[in-house]
């Protein structure tokens, strides 16, 4: 199967027009006419992930985060991004990223599914037409009323996490939840405006957490990677259903940081 045929299926799921203007989703490295038989899935195109893709004979590395964000003026082996590009090309591995377009069409509802949210609405609207309203994050009702500390355990189980950081009073009851995979501290005010009792997201710093409490909303920081790692099983299932002839591999990944 040609790479351009694989890309057509990926873009049918998460159309590129839903990506943010600042983003760099899409083909990072590769040839549209390349024959693809094995796809390696990962959140990030790190050096260990590329090594795994090489060892397993993958033809395509499919990631959530783009390998290339800003402009690059030189490609050489003493630059870590340049070195990755060289290795991909040398091993004839294409690299494709589904980032903010997947955040809008894919990630948001997948995260809400794991939390079993009902009566869902888009948290931050990024596009609207006469047919639909789309955007990043979702708000909705939890399947039952919970205390904040109980909900924190619920989040850990849903996203398969060892720990989360909680801002708020442990005994407060939460019913309405906002979830935004990735970095969501800039959208806390939107969650407040939507009437959420609690928001699940990542990359919440000290001041944003304290301010959220003052604004009357609890925040659970599940980590940027902690929630977005659902990209891998989601895409594994999608590829098995839509492109069953492809071999699908999961690159071994771990939380990028740990507590000591």
């Amino acid at each position: 199967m040609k790479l351009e045929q694989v890309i057509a299926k990926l873009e049918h799921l998460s159309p590129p027009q839903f990506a943010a203007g600042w983003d760099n989703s899409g083909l990072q490295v590769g040839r549209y006419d390349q024959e693809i038989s094995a796809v390696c899935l990962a959140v990030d195109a790190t050096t260990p992930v590329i090594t795994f893709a090489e060892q397993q004979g993958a033809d395509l590395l499919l990631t959530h985060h783009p390998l290339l964000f800003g402009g690059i003026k030189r490609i050489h082996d003493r630059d870590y991004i340049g070195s990755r590009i060289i290795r991909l090309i040398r091993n004839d591995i294409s690299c494709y990223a589904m980032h903010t377009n997947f955040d809008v069409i894919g990630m948001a509802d997948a995260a809400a599914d794991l939390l079993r949210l009902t009566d869902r609405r888009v948290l931050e609207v990024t596009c609207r037409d006469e047919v639909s309203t789309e955007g990043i994050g979702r708000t909705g009702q939890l399947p039952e009323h919970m205390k904040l500390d109980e909900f924190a355990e619920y989040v850990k189980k849903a996203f398969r996490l060892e720990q989360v950081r909680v801002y708020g009073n442990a005994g407060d009851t939460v019913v309405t939840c906002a979830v935004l995979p990735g970095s969501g501290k800039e959208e806390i005010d939107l969650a407040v405006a939507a009437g959420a009792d609690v928001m699940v997201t990542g990359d919440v710093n000290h001041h944003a957490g304290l301010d959220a409490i003052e604004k009357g909303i609890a925040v659970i920081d599940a980590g940027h990677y902690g929630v977005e790692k659902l990209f891998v099983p989601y895409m594994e299932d999608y590829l098995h259903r839509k492109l069953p002839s492809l071999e699908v591999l999961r690159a071994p990944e771990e939380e990028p940081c740990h507590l000591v």
Side-chain angles (χ1 to χ4, degrees), residues 6-246:
V6 178
I7 290 175
K9 285 293 185 182
L10 300 179
E11 295 186 351
H12 177 76
L13 170 66
S14 301
Q17 62 264 30
F18 289 108
W22 51 263
D23 194 16
N24 190 37
S25 293
L27 187 60
Q28 309 285 290
V29 176
R31 297 179 290 108
Y32 284 95
D33 65 349
Q34 181 184 4
E35 286 291 337
I36 305 296
S37 60
V39 181
C40 180
L41 298 173
V43 175
D44 296 281
T46 63
T47 298
V49 164
I50 292 173
T51 298
F52 176 83
E54 291 172 353
Q55 293 171 343
Q56 299 300 312
D59 308 299
L60 171 62
L61 175 57
L62 177 57
T63 66
H64 178 49
H65 293 138
L67 172 63
L68 303 171
F69 258 120
I72 182 167
K73 295 183 177 181
R74 299 174 181 84
I75 299 175
H76 55 75
D77 62 355
R78 293 190 179 181
D79 171 77
Y80 71 100
I81 297 294
S83 178
R84 294 176 193 175
I85 294 170
I86 291 169
R87 290 182 63 182
L88 288 166
I89 294 173
R90 185 171 58 202
N91 288 278
D92 203 19
I93 301 173
S94 293
C95 183
Y96 188 92
M98 301 171 68
H99 192 213
T100 52
N101 54 323
F102 182 78
D103 286 338
V104 173
I105 308 293
M107 183 82 78
D109 280 317
D113 286 344
L114 288 176
L115 294 175
R116 297 169 57 200
L117 299 186
T118 60
D119 302 321
R120 296 178 194 175
R121 295 186 179 183
V122 174
L123 177 61
E124 181 176 4
V125 176
T126 57
C127 48
R128 179 188 283 116
D129 58 29
E130 63 277 4
V131 177
S132 64
T133 298
E134 301 292 351
I136 62 173
R138 296 290 185 268
T139 61
Q141 304 301 304
L142 293 170
E144 60 185 69
H145 294 199
M146 304 182 201
K147 299 298 183 184
L148 181 58
D149 57 352
E150 294 172 336
F151 180 61
E153 292 295 330
Y154 180 84
V155 170
K156 286 169 58 179
K157 182 177 180 180
F159 292 104
R160 297 179 292 110
L161 303 170
E162 293 186 5
Q163 69 271 321
V164 295
R165 296 168 61 222
V166 182
Y167 294 91
N169 297 315
D172 286 353
T173 300
V174 294
V175 182
T176 303
C177 173
V179 58
L180 193 155
S183 182
K185 65 179 182 293
E186 301 298 330
E187 285 77 19
I188 289 175
D189 285 346
L190 292 175
V192 173
D197 304 307
V198 61
M199 181 177 185
V200 180
T201 189
D203 294 345
V204 178
N205 61 30
H206 173 77
H207 298 290
L210 292 181
D211 290 347
I213 295 171
E214 291 289 330
K215 294 171 182 177
I217 186 171
V219 175
I220 294 183
D221 186 339
H224 194 123
Y225 174 79
V227 181
E228 290 196 329
K229 66 183 181 181
L230 66 82
F231 170 81
V232 172
Y234 186 105
M235 291 308 303
E236 181 180 43
D237 175 69
Y238 180 78
L239 292 173
H240 281 318
R241 287 187 290 106
K242 300 298 183 179
L243 298 171
S245 65
L246 295 180

